[in-house]
Amino acid sequence: MTSQNKHWIYENVRAVHLEASTLCNSICPWCPRYNNFSPNLNPNIVEEYYTLKRFKDHFPKDFIKQINFWTFAGDYGDPCTCPQFISILKHITDIRPDTNIQINTNGGMKGPTFWHELGNLFKHNHNRYVIFSVDGLEDTNHIYRRNVNWNKVSNNMKCYSHTGAKGIWEYLKFKHNEHQLEEAKEQANELGFEIRFKNPNGFEGGPMPARDKDYNIEYEMFPATGREINEIPQRSVDFINLINTDTLDYADYKDRVESLYEDKSGCITCAANHTLGGGNEIRINCDGAVWPCSFFGHLSKKYLKNRIVGRIQQWQMEDVFKDVKNNLNEMSLKEILDNDPFRPVYERWEGNKILECYDVCGPKPIMEKIYEGASNGR
């Protein structure tokens, strides 16, 4: 098999999205780390993190030299909970001084020493930055970011800002925090941060609940003004009508949803396969599994007992990858990619028969544009 016939090639990888940790201090209701909007851990999650040694084992120096962009933004944990995170970042920048790095965090962990050290590592390159996911102010951030202490977040953002490093404040808009947008802009400007306002998912068919450990609803969240609680998408209704949810079974899902493929038209343009001037991007979960993009990594451990479409997508992925060896604990990254593990995905692009790819990178993606505005700071 020639490299021209492959879509992901080891030597062409230019971007890596790595989940550095599956630990987290927050209990966000919509997060797939937790089961059904509760504080109960998703049963598919193993709490772990990358050590510096493990990072070096998985990513040799020659590979690090070819990477233009690293993203640290786990679906199941916050990268800044990784105990050796600074050491990993220093290792990367020592080998590739001009590499670019993005970190997504709720900002509610560690203390001044960590944030000063991180800021000092980033301050000379504004293509290295931290995105702080902070959804409100002192009296509102904790409503969605449950268990996150405001004083700690605020102090950490200030410590990082004082170094002069680039920061972005990403603010999920809800009904309960929309009255604070202007005040948040002012605080972002004081920090020298850009601020982005973003509409959250999680309002399909009703308000977003925050449940307790016994799955009782403690309170509900509602979308911001101008955003409505969405009806369940038609494709979800079609799945529900096709499948008896009481007897939903992995073994026979394929035949029962095959008819839904017939209405799809247009082509899939894979963003991960057309990144950074033609290079490839890969996603690596904290357990060492290598995926073609972050959406597959996200789907790999989703616990979607009550979300029909997500369950079908997850089962399809499990079926597609059932004979694929893609774990860095068993093989090197070069060995994995040289074996062309993602061929079962891209060969199904014709006819749009990969549901996750169609939804994210298809002609009419379900994922709408959710950023509504930004204000630049420093």
Side-chain angles (χ1 to χ4, degrees), residues 80-97:
C80 293
T81 62
C82 175
Q84 297 186 6
F85 195 38
I86 294 291
S87 297
I88 290 171
L89 295 173
K90 286 182 176 178
H91 178 67
I92 292 171
T93 56
D94 285 345
I95 294 171
R96 176 75 188 268

Side-chain angles (χ1 to χ4, degrees), residues 71-351:
T71 299
F72 293 94
D75 291 307
Y76 305 109
D78 193 300
C80 293
T81 62
C82 175
Q84 297 186 6
F85 195 38
I86 294 291
S87 297
I88 290 171
L89 295 173
K90 286 182 176 178
H91 178 67
I92 292 171
T93 56
D94 285 345
I95 294 171
R96 176 75 188 268
D98 65 336
T99 197
N100 306 313
I101 300 172
Q102 172 184 310
I103 296 169
N104 291 65
T105 178
N106 67 61
M109 73 294 293
K110 305 288 177 68
T113 300
F114 174 88
W115 293 101
H116 275 298
E117 199 167 1
L118 180 58
N120 285 329
L121 187 63
F122 279 18
K123 66 182 180 182
H124 296 300
N125 182 348
H126 275 205
N127 287 318
R128 296 178 190 161
Y129 52 89
V130 175
I131 297 178
F132 291 91
S133 298
V134 179
D135 310 319
L137 303 177
E138 182 173 8
D139 59 334
T140 54
N141 182 57
H142 64 279
I143 295 175
Y144 181 73
R145 302 283 166 183
R146 292 196 289 182
N147 208 40
V148 175
N149 181 280
W150 172 259
N151 289 332
K152 197 170 188 65
V153 172
S154 180
N155 288 333
N156 289 344
M157 292 172 78
K158 290 174 183 176
C159 287
Y160 177 83
S161 172
H162 288 163
T163 67
K166 180 180 177 180
I168 298 171
W169 181 340
E170 193 169 84
Y171 187 118
L172 292 180
K173 290 173 55 180
F174 295 90
K175 185 176 182 180
H176 63 257
N177 66 14
E178 63 181 341
H179 63 288
Q180 297 175 319
L181 302 185
E182 290 304 316
E183 189 175 352
K185 286 181 182 179
E186 293 174 5
Q187 291 195 19
N189 190 58
E190 291 172 2
L191 291 166
F193 288 179
E194 174 188 341
I195 188 166
R196 300 173 179 173
F197 298 109
K198 185 177 178 182
N199 292 306
N201 293 314
F203 298 111
E204 289 74 30
M208 184 189 302
R211 301 180 185 274
D212 63 20
K213 61 182 179 61
D214 296 317
Y215 300 102
N216 300 308
I217 296 178
E218 293 186 327
Y219 55 88
E220 294 179 321
M221 287 161 279
F222 295 83
T225 300
R227 304 282 297 182
E228 298 180 355
I229 291 175
N230 302 323
E231 294 182 3
I232 299 176
Q234 184 58 46
R235 193 159 66 86
S236 300
V237 175
D238 292 340
F239 274 120
I240 293 169
N241 290 337
L242 280 170
I243 299 170
N244 181 339
T245 57
D246 293 329
T247 59
L248 187 60
D249 184 71
Y250 168 60
D252 68 354
Y253 87 93
K254 288 182 291 185
D255 293 338
R256 306 185 69 178
V257 299
E258 185 68 26
S259 63
L260 295 182
Y261 293 142
E262 297 173 0
D263 297 330
K264 292 182 172 58
S265 60
C267 61
I268 291 169
T269 303
C270 175
N273 197 241
H274 296 81
T275 186
L276 299 169
N280 304 146
E281 180 179 22
I282 55 172
R283 157 63 182 257
I284 298 166
N285 280 12
C286 195
D287 62 4
V290 181
W291 302 105
C293 71
S294 61
F295 295 98
F296 278 87
H298 174 75
L299 200 62
S300 64
K301 294 183 185 300
K302 229 176 199 179
Y303 189 60
L304 292 159
K305 185 175 182 180
N306 299 316
R307 303 178 199 172
I308 299 300
V309 173
R311 293 172 71 190
I312 297 297
Q313 290 172 327
Q314 185 176 29
W315 285 350
Q316 183 186 43
M317 189 191 77
E318 290 172 355
D319 183 55
V320 167
F321 281 92
K322 65 180 183 297
D323 297 321
V324 172
K325 294 182 179 180
N326 64 330
N327 196 290
L328 288 170
N329 296 317
E330 300 170 359
M331 304 170 67
S332 73
L333 183 57
K334 180 168 175 52
E335 288 172 330
I336 290 171
L337 293 183
D338 283 353
N339 285 331
D340 201 15
F342 308 140
R343 177 169 290 276
V345 172
Y346 65 75
E347 282 189 338
R348 288 172 169 83
W349 285 345
E350 185 175 352

